Amino acid sequence: MAATPQREVATLAGGCFWCLEAAFQQLNGVEKVESGYAGGHVANPSYEQVCTGTTGHAEVLQITFDPAIISFDDLLHVFFTIHDPTTLNRQGADVGTQYRSAIFYHGPGQKAVAERVIAELQAEGVWDDPIVTEVKPLEIFYPAEEYHRDYYRRNPNQGYCRAVIAPKVAKVRKLYLDKLKQPA
């Protein structure tokens, strides 16, 4: 019986999950992305409940990736490129705890990498303000409703997609050209 290739999962919160999904789908080694909710205290929350800010959940993206092709460290560098980790409970016009910056780690190795990357970015002075990204263990992930999945690909001309998501995707394509999926 052949060995199954090793896969890892990362769960990241950096504002609207549509933005994260569109950016991470571009990366070679990323096999699956799924929008959802994590970090809250209500079981099986709906999008409407999460949007109230009362469930404690953040909009997150769960990424299944091949660490032989792209590392967790690489994913975090992309993550910190496409959102502002210095704004507490806010990304642009999106305000509330559901839009906080967070890394929900899946084990001690991911926790150590997350803490190291944050410390390096702080030391480099990439931002004028301190990084407020939470680093917490993932307790449970709840998938988002079907209509949130693959949102940017299905709605590229929608106003939010053109104004907010498209520039983030373009930034990833420009800065991480060597990590992009190649056309078949």
Side-chain angles (χ1 to χ4, degrees), residues 17 35-37 45-48 142-149:
F17 46 35
S35 296
Y37 316 107
S46 68
Y47 179 69
E48 290 75 19
Y142 296 104
E145 296 80 355
E146 183 66 36
Y147 68 92
H148 291 294
R149 297 185 191 141

Side-chain angles (χ1 to χ4, degrees), residues 107-126:
Q110 284 189 356
K111 179 183 181 189
V113 170
E115 290 172 343
R116 179 184 48 77
V117 168
I118 290 170
E120 289 170 359
L121 292 171
Q122 288 282 75
E124 292 170 11
V126 175

